[in-house]
Amino acid sequence: MNKINAAELTEYGLQKRDGLNTKLMSLSSSMESIREVIREYDTLIKQVFLKIKSVQGIANKTNLLAINASIETIHASDLLASFEEIVEKNLMIQAKIISQILEYDPDFFYQDGGAFARECGMEEFYVTDSEGIVQFTNMPSWKNSALKSSEILRILKNPELEIALPSVGNGFDGELQKTVGVARLDQPGIIQTGAHFVRPKGQLAIDGFGVVAQEAKRLADVSKEISARITALTNELGSMLERLKTIYDEADKGIKACSEAAALAEAVPLKEQEARLDDLKGTLKQLDMDFDESRKYFKSILSPLTELINIARQTNLLGVRAAIEAAHSTNDKQDFDNLLNRHMTAEAKLVALLIERRPDITIDQMEELGEKIDIAEIWIADENAAVELTNIRAGIGFVFQNEGQTAPFLRIISNPNLIVSPPPSLRTLDNRVFKYVGVGRKDKPGFLQVGIPSKLYGESTAEGFSVVAKQIKNLAEQSRETTTEIEAIVEDMDHKAKKATEQMKIVQRYRMEAARELERLT
């Protein structure tokens, strides 16, 4: 009977040991899903780092783009503001050339003023005597009348003066009139020239583009600040995940230690097994608390990510607005070129008339002429496109080629009435921006070309604005897409943390059941 009872007791003890082992095995198995979450965290957080770095790069590109756009806006604004300055300078040149013609052609007055103005493309000109009485003009009603501007009449007392009156207009249609005056060279008197011009409408568009550029820069700066915050939070989260891995490893070792003790049965005292399970309880509790803490980080990261997405949307809208402003500003490119064409054509034709009246002019005199009338370059070619006269001494003998930038001007040789006026461009010779206009010669077959330093109003402004607008939109879309991807990753990590927290309840339940099984052995 005692032997039977002893055997039964032994069997009963083994069954209880089996119960403990089963619970510990379940505990170990339930930790595998926790291990998988932590392993996935390691991959996902690396993706977050890479993508947030990409967002920072996009913000830097947007910032640089906005800075460059602001600079181009300033340049374009300065260029449009120079419309009046261009008109003034060119009217001055025209008055000075007329003064030169008068000095070499005493019969200048014996022609129709209106026909002369039409031939040269001048709007208004007046030539007075020493009393300021108009002797020659294309405005018949002013002939034999005195000039009314007391400011310009000052030239009679001081022939060195060059007077430019402030522009005047009606204030309704944006049209302004500019008037300038210089002294005659052949005798005391005044040469006054005038022209109307329209204030560029694109200034409002350019100003609007400038505002867009500044706002894009502000948003890029804010994006960089938020990205830096997210990076800092992600670094903290990375440290938290490292701690999670450490705590998990401790818990895993604790479970293995408990399992090994249970397998050794009586070799390990029950008190020690209870102590191991109690230690495991603390470690699992810490693991559970760290998962909860990690979810706080996820929420902290998601908030600025939402801000980043909103900024990307705002920047995208700025790109749309920039495209609209760019479209409005493109007309001024043509207006700018038309303004130069109009006045430089008049100057080229006036110089052609002057050269006709000075058949024996020398290279020294050409250089002096260029300085007096303030034209940077004058090129006079024969019927073979070879330069006969110029104010650029090294240019004598230069032959215009029927290719590249010089080709269009050769067409004038066969069609003397042709006017060639390409837009300002970079010279292949020295990479300087010049504007040239060519007309037929008056004295013999060939053509005459005048050139002045200019500014580019094209790729770097109106057309450039359109490119910038597209780039702003593209960068904004890249930022939005990347930030949305980060948001999805963080939400996925949070979802996994939530599942891990739920799994921790199962882990703790198995630990508690294992503890009860151990109590039954005591």
Side-chain angles (χ1 to χ4, degrees):
M1 183 68 179
N2 290 337
K3 288 182 180 179
I4 294 174
N5 288 340
E8 288 176 349
L9 285 172
T10 300
E11 181 65 24
Y12 178 67
L14 290 173
Q15 288 177 359
K16 288 197 288 182
R17 286 282 179 186
D18 287 343
L20 175 61
N21 288 331
T22 300
K23 298 301 180 183
L24 288 172
M25 287 176 61
S26 297
L27 175 59
S28 180
S29 177
S30 64
M31 285 288 285
E32 283 301 315
S33 58
I34 303 294
R35 183 201 297 274
E36 187 60 30
V37 167
I38 293 174
R39 187 182 295 117
E40 288 176 354
Y41 272 2
D42 202 40
T43 301
L44 293 173
I45 199 164
K46 287 177 183 176
Q47 292 180 25
V48 172
F49 274 122
L50 287 174
K51 290 182 183 297
I52 199 62
K53 187 177 180 180
S54 175
V55 171
Q56 288 174 327
I58 292 169
N60 286 331
K61 288 180 183 177
T62 305
N63 191 299
L64 182 59
L65 182 67
I67 290 172
N68 290 335
S70 295
I71 293 171
E72 292 301 336
T73 299
I74 293 170
H75 289 168
S77 183
D78 290 344
L79 191 58
L80 292 186
S82 69
F83 268 42
E84 180 174 349
E85 180 185 333
I86 290 169
V87 175
E88 178 183 317
K89 180 177 180 179
N90 283 275
L91 287 175
M92 243 357 140
I93 291 173
Q94 293 160 32
K96 289 175 181 179
I97 300 173
I98 293 174
S99 181
Q100 289 282 331
I101 293 173
L102 281 173
E103 188 176 17
Y104 290 92
D105 184 7
D107 297 326
F108 183 72
F109 291 129
Y110 301 108
Q111 63 177 310
D112 181 271
F116 168 75
R118 286 192 296 275
E119 180 185 2
C120 296
M122 296 183 67
E123 187 175 334
E124 293 180 14
F125 76 92
Y126 308 86
V127 181
T128 80
D129 60 17
S130 59
E131 300 297 322
I133 305 301
V134 177
Q135 291 182 300
F136 186 51
T137 179
N138 64 325
M139 310 296 287
S141 62
W142 278 89
K143 194 169 183 180
N144 298 320
S145 300
L147 293 180
K148 291 187 176 181
S149 170
S150 59
E151 186 68 16
I152 285 184
L153 287 172
R154 290 171 53 213
I155 295 171
L156 294 174
K157 294 182 179 180
N158 185 356
E160 299 298 321
L161 290 176
E162 296 177 359
I163 303 294
L165 300 179
S167 297
V168 294
N170 56 27
F172 296 106
D173 55 9
E175 188 175 72
L176 300 169
Q177 183 176 25
K178 192 72 181 177
T179 302
V180 307
V182 300
R184 290 176 63 170
L185 296 176
D186 59 324
Q187 68 169 58
I190 298 170
I191 298 172
Q192 177 180 297
T193 55
H196 289 80
F197 69 98
V198 177
R199 191 185 300 278
K201 297 177 182 177
Q203 186 64 57
L204 287 175
I206 289 175
D207 290 344
F209 193 90
V211 171
V212 168
Q214 291 174 8
E215 181 62 9
K217 183 182 183 309
R218 186 190 70 80
L219 289 175
D221 288 338
V222 173
S223 180
K224 286 167 65 177
E225 291 173 5
I226 295 173
S227 297
R229 279 165 43 203
I230 294 173
T231 299
L233 287 169
T234 306
N235 280 326
E236 292 178 19
L237 178 61
S239 298
M240 167 62 70
L241 296 184
E242 287 299 319
R243 194 168 74 184
L244 266 176
K245 286 193 282 187
T246 301
I247 297 296
Y248 174 85
D249 288 343
E250 289 180 11
D252 188 51
K253 288 178 182 177
I255 293 172
K256 287 178 180 178
C258 290
S259 298
E260 289 171 359
L264 292 173
E266 283 81 3
V268 179
L270 291 177
K271 289 291 183 181
E272 184 177 333
Q273 294 184 50
E274 287 176 355
R276 291 182 181 185
L277 271 177
D278 197 52
D279 288 342
L280 180 61
K281 174 182 177 182
T283 304
L284 291 176
K285 183 178 180 181
Q286 184 61 52
L287 186 62
D288 194 16
M289 289 171 61
D290 283 352
F291 271 115
D292 283 337
E293 187 69 19
S294 69
R295 295 196 66 194
K296 293 178 183 177
Y297 278 100
F298 298 142
K299 288 180 175 60
S300 297
I301 293 173
L302 285 172
S303 178
L305 281 174
T306 302
E307 292 179 53
L308 272 183
I309 291 172
N310 288 334
I311 286 173
R313 287 171 180 158
Q314 290 177 56
T315 306
N316 190 294
L317 290 175
L318 280 178
V320 174
R321 182 180 165 188
I324 294 171
E325 300 294 3
H328 288 166
S329 72
T330 52
N331 292 333
D332 288 310
K333 172 190 174 182
Q334 190 60 52
D335 291 344
F336 176 72
D337 199 38
N338 288 342
L339 186 67
L340 290 175
N341 290 341
R342 173 186 169 191
H343 287 284
M344 288 184 68
T345 298
E347 288 146 24
K349 290 186 173 183
L350 284 169
V351 172
L353 287 171
L354 176 59
I355 297 302
E356 182 184 30
R357 286 156 173 79
R358 297 189 64 181
D360 299 324
I361 190 169
T362 66
I363 180 65
D364 292 333
Q365 292 169 330
M366 282 294 296
E367 287 178 331
E368 184 181 359
L369 174 64
E371 291 178 7
K372 284 182 176 179
I373 63 178
D374 201 20
I375 292 182
E377 296 185 6
I378 304 170
W379 300 86
I380 304 171
D382 62 17
E383 69 274 17
N384 297 314
V387 175
E388 290 185 330
L389 282 170
T390 176
N391 63 331
I392 308 299
R393 186 171 292 273
I396 293 292
F398 172 80
V399 179
F400 284 78
Q401 300 298 312
N402 193 22
E403 59 183 21
Q405 293 173 316
T406 63
F409 295 96
L410 272 67
R411 292 159 46 207
I412 301 174
I413 295 173
S414 59
N415 184 1
N417 295 320
L418 185 65
I419 299 169
V420 176
S421 54
S425 62
L426 284 172
R427 295 194 307 193
T428 53
L429 177 68
D430 55 11
N431 280 333
R432 292 179 65 194
V433 178
F434 258 73
K435 166 73 177 178
Y436 289 99
V437 170
V439 299
R441 291 177 67 169
K442 293 290 184 182
D443 57 330
K444 59 184 291 189
F447 61 89
L448 181 146
Q449 183 192 74
V450 294
I452 61 170
S454 185
K455 299 176 181 177
L456 285 176
Y457 188 79
E459 265 59 45
S460 62
T461 49
E463 295 172 12
F465 288 170
S466 179
V467 172
V468 169
K470 290 178 183 177
Q471 289 176 337
I472 289 175
K473 282 184 88 283
N474 289 341
L475 288 172
E477 185 58 25
Q478 289 175 33
S479 180
R480 187 195 65 77
E481 288 177 357
T482 306
T483 306
T484 302
E485 289 171 3
I486 297 173
E487 187 179 51
I489 291 171
V490 175
E491 286 177 345
D492 183 37
M493 291 176 78
D494 185 53
H495 177 68
K496 292 182 186 310
K498 186 178 179 181
K499 286 180 64 177
T501 301
E502 292 298 320
Q503 183 65 22
M504 285 304 300
K505 293 178 182 178
I506 297 173
V507 171
Q508 289 284 24
R509 189 187 74 202
Y510 283 131
R511 185 204 60 78
M512 292 172 63
E513 289 177 355
R516 283 196 292 270
E517 289 293 333
L518 188 59
E519 287 177 5
R520 291 170 60 192
L521 292 174
T522 58

